[in-house]
Amino acid sequence: MTGYGYGSYGYGSSVVGMAAGAMAVGMAAEMAEADAAAATPTQDTRLALRPSLPDSQNAQVEKKLSERLNAFRGSPGYFLNADAGTNCVLDEDIKWQISEQMSETEYNRIVGSSFRDSGMDFRVESIDASLLDGTCANNVPEGPFTAKSRIVWSFTNSGMTTRMIVNRHVEGTIKNGDLNGELIMTARQDSTESEENGPATSVNGFIGYFQDGEAVGTGIFIQDAQISRSTIVREQLGDNRRQDTMYFGDQLHQETFYKNGLKHGWMITHPIMMYGTTSEGSRACYQNGTEAPDTACGTPPTT
């Protein structure tokens, strides 16, 4: 399976890592800490706004996903109902496909490598998925399905371990063991077991499209941490290449090119306004996930 779906949306401040939503989670935590320390609030309401996407079809998908996330935030228990389900015991490979849209090997290569490249120890503690609705044949859904998944992973940096728990609600279609058609995911992400039992302060979601297990077309990912919001438009370019365009709040922030799930080509960072200050723009060249001289990427873009 190539093209890479939800699981490879991992971002962190600039890596695939802090995985899928941790960029917004981490920045939200920093903002909260700043609020606590400052004499006056430091929130910037613009960071929580939705972007105006230039492509009308992408804008419709973003609207659909935003509405789903609003419903999910209001009643995560409905979407993650632990009591409902079928008697289907899913194959381990299918659990990874439902939860991350990639194999365990691909996940560790793409998501794990970003942490290891930054000198951090990364490991998946557990993954599970169960079928809530749909037809099951030989431990694999066949046709339209609704499922839930849970992945727990951790990373250690300078002796401190951070543990992330992601619970997802998944709706899609599997034919002959592969994802096909539209896939809709909503999730809550928590950093400790105790937080998992409380209100979901950070939710995220993804709408993407698949053909015989391959990601096709353009997908939308949203991380909503209430005081900040990031939106990623992922366009499949063919030949295992893609472009991710990220908005922070309503502002265009980064455009990044990938090959085989790793940064490959230019990463363009656009200036954005935060707390009345404009951040600097930049550009960097990558080859197979490693920063490289600009000459390796050809003519530099304008930032």
Side-chain angles (χ1 to χ4, degrees), residues 113 123 180:
S113 65
R123 70 188 185 98
N180 277 273

PDB file of all heavy atoms in Angstrom, residues 113 123 180:
ATOM      1  N   SER A 113      10.941   6.814  11.826  1.00  0.00           N
ATOM      2  CA  SER A 113      12.236   7.356  11.408  1.00  0.00           C
ATOM      3  C   SER A 113      12.360   8.837  11.720  1.00  0.00           C
ATOM      4  O   SER A 113      13.453   9.326  12.012  1.00  0.00           O
ATOM      5  CB  SER A 113      12.458   7.119   9.917  1.00  0.00           C
ATOM      6  OG  SER A 113      11.526   7.843   9.135  1.00  0.00           O
ATOM      7  N   ARG A 123       8.431   4.048  19.762  1.00  0.00           N
ATOM      8  CA  ARG A 123       7.910   2.695  19.671  1.00  0.00           C
ATOM      9  C   ARG A 123       6.379   2.706  19.721  1.00  0.00           C
ATOM     10  O   ARG A 123       5.771   3.590  20.352  1.00  0.00           O
ATOM     11  CB  ARG A 123       8.460   1.794  20.768  1.00  0.00           C
ATOM     12  CG  ARG A 123       7.979   2.084  22.168  1.00  0.00           C
ATOM     13  CD  ARG A 123       8.743   1.254  23.185  1.00  0.00           C
ATOM     14  NE  ARG A 123       8.242   1.419  24.541  1.00  0.00           N
ATOM     15  CZ  ARG A 123       7.398   0.570  25.111  1.00  0.00           C
ATOM     16  NH1 ARG A 123       6.959  -0.487  24.443  1.00  0.00           N
ATOM     17  NH2 ARG A 123       6.979   0.754  26.356  1.00  0.00           N
ATOM     18  N   ASN A 180     -11.052   1.067  -0.684  1.00  0.00           N
ATOM     19  CA  ASN A 180     -11.538   1.632  -1.935  1.00  0.00           C
ATOM     20  C   ASN A 180     -12.566   2.715  -1.629  1.00  0.00           C
ATOM     21  O   ASN A 180     -13.360   2.587  -0.694  1.00  0.00           O
ATOM     22  CB  ASN A 180     -12.180   0.559  -2.811  1.00  0.00           C
ATOM     23  CG  ASN A 180     -11.164  -0.226  -3.623  1.00  0.00           C
ATOM     24  OD1 ASN A 180     -10.799   0.162  -4.720  1.00  0.00           O
ATOM     25  ND2 ASN A 180     -10.695  -1.337  -3.055  1.00  0.00           N
TER      26      ASN A 180
END
